Amino acid sequence: MNARTTRVLQCSAVLVAAGLVLTACGSSGGDSSSGQSKSPSFTGRGPITFAAAKDSSGVVQKVMDSWNAQHPKEKVTFVQLPADVNQQRQQMIQNAETKSDAYTVLWMDVVWTSEFAAHQWIDQLPADQFPLDKMLKPVVETGKYRGNLYAVPQSSDGGVLYYRTDLLKKAGISAAPTTWAEMKADCAKVKQLPEAKDLDCYAGQFQKYEGLTVNFAEAVNSAGGVITAASGKPDVDTPAAKKGLDFLVDSFKDGTIPKEAITYQEEEGRQAFQSGKLIFLRNWPYVYSLAEKSKVAGKFAVAPLPGLTGAGSSSLGGHNVALSSFAKNKATALDFMKFFTSEASAATFLKDASMAPPYGSLYDDAALVKQYPYLPVLKKSILGAVPRPRVVQYGDASSAIQQEAYAALNGDKSSAQALKDLQSELQKSAAQ
Amino acid sequence: MVDTDIPSGAAAGTPGGPVGRRSAPVKASKRAWATAASGRTAALLVSPTLLVLTVVVLYPTVMAFKESLYGTKGLDPKTGFISDTEPFVGLQNYADIFGEAGDRFWNAFWNTTFFTVVTVGLETLIGVSMALIMHKAFSGRALIRASILIPWAVPTAISGLLWRWIFNSDGIANALIGRQVLWTTEGFHAKVAVIIAEVWKTSPFIGLLVLAGLQVIPKEVYEAARLDGAGPLAQFWRITLPLVKPALLVAVLFRCLDALRMFDLPYLLIGAQKNSVETLSMLAQNEASNVRFGPAAAYAVLLFLYVFLIALGFVRLLGTDLVGDVGGPKAKRKNKLRRTAVSGGAEASA
């Protein structure tokens, strides 16, 4: 027994040692990598890959097919990532952390640019080679980090206000509200109608997730406040920001926003609006075509978001394309990015998959406006939009916003206290 | 540790005393003619297993511990770039949980513990009842067995989504209780929602293992008990429960280990970063997703140690019990001998 135990122990000791050697190998491999050059050169031609979310409409493949037909020697392959946004980001980060060349061109959410650029996971791009002046300015801003271009807009998105035209008309209101006070007054008038007695006034996305960050940022920006100043420093503990947050908090208190809206993400709000339970809804343009097939079809319209004293400011959604620092065939990749973000491609994305284009001119195209009647409103929304905080630790900033805004909406904290705590949280994360 | 436990466990595993006594001399004689050569062969034979264990268990654990000694990559304010290397911070990540930043860790720790204790407790009660029902012979038994096992067959991610619909603000749960509870918001009700969904899903697991334990109890024991005039309740407490205990303990151990690393159900049902339901696994995942691998690894290592300690405690408990069941003469340690003697004496006097 003893002899056997000793043998087993000896044997496993050898294996432990082997494990440690493996460990040592692994770590030395990780540390020895050198930082890549600051001014990337775009050399090398050949096959590349494009990593993006699952393409349910098939339009991405369609655009790639037309590229492949023109460039048989520099074909691009589609790497489909999960539909979930966090998993896409996770896989891109893993790809970058292992310095893999599996992904060449990345299809990134607009809020990731700073983080990816600061980690040098993506290359700085030559701004003069893209038609940025033809794109809407706030959209181009989402692709920049410290003034340099790291990602090129492929699609955009802005929040709009859906409202029930039939009810407003019956209540004698001719135009959509442009301020929060007007919206509340309109609701009071509509609710005097017998058929609208039990309706709720307004909803957005207030569940504790990224949508709350969007809605909080919109409220603050629409009241003239900011979350981070132009310098990138957090500046959210201000009277203006408080007025924005107070709009949401008070609306929950006085019932303008129904209680259950604290559990709403995009879909729950859309369903409530479509089933005729809401008079006003803040949501993205994708709702339009779906609501057209519901029982409120023909009874609603869109308007720019209302604000404190005038039109509000939307947050920006959408996607950019960026070039992985660890990729091969970067010359091909750069050409493909130009092709993929061209006005012609943007028109295809809009026609086939209703992705809002970064190009201003497409919003005024008569044929497209006929297909998507919300385009002029969306253009206004995007032109007045403010990008969400562009900070390196975006994940932390967004969680801090969700944490504090949620506490204020729930009534666990006063809005003043929530903003004060948020300010210190943001400062802490910026100091890291 | 494992080596010392195996003999007692093996000896105790044989229910009858004589069998155990017979096996002991056989072992001793084997050991007598074991030469150095056969020892080497044995080491050679187990080495593939050990190698695999080293690669898939030991190496990642060591790497995780090493990673936990490193901090977060810093941002160079001048260039705006994150530095290439992580600073070595020693045990700082572990020390941090006792500081101001530790609130989140301790909240997650208590959530994990609370979920484990409550869900495993409820699952044991419900699982044993399920097993007793499944064990009874009646018509339609196969159907009952199959339907009880369905929740266990549903993947957790799917059941998380199903329960999210049930706990929706307009969902069935609210329709049933007749008032609007916003289950997926922060608060104690979120914990309740997770516990209900978890218990629904995993009670069948305990039921299944206990059923297996019930089926090996010989009928004669019950017949003897009936002859002695024991009622159903007495039969359950005096016969069923003691005899099914080894199977039940294994089931509870597995469930505890599973519950301690709970992640997908609260993540899908209630959502990420909800303080009311954040578990240690969710915290570690969240840190890792924010590219803070050092603290994430530290949390993962702490969770590993926690799970390890619970498992160790159970193995001890399991071993003690089995030794106790066999009776005094087999117990090796003196204190155990004394304890069984005392309890034996108490039983005799009662």
Side-chain angles (χ1 to χ4, degrees), chain B residues 270-296:
Chain B
I270 310 295
Q273 296 175 31
K274 292 261 174 67
N275 304 341
S276 325
V277 296
E278 190 169 64
T279 62
L280 282 174
S281 304
M282 289 166 82
L283 178 60
Q285 187 270 349
N286 189 254
E287 288 293 299
S289 76
N290 281 321
V291 212
R292 282 192 297 268
F293 298 117

Side-chain angles (χ1 to χ4, degrees), chain A residues 125-132 149:
Chain A
L125 301 170
D128 52 346
Q129 294 188 30
F130 292 92
L132 299 179
L149 188 73

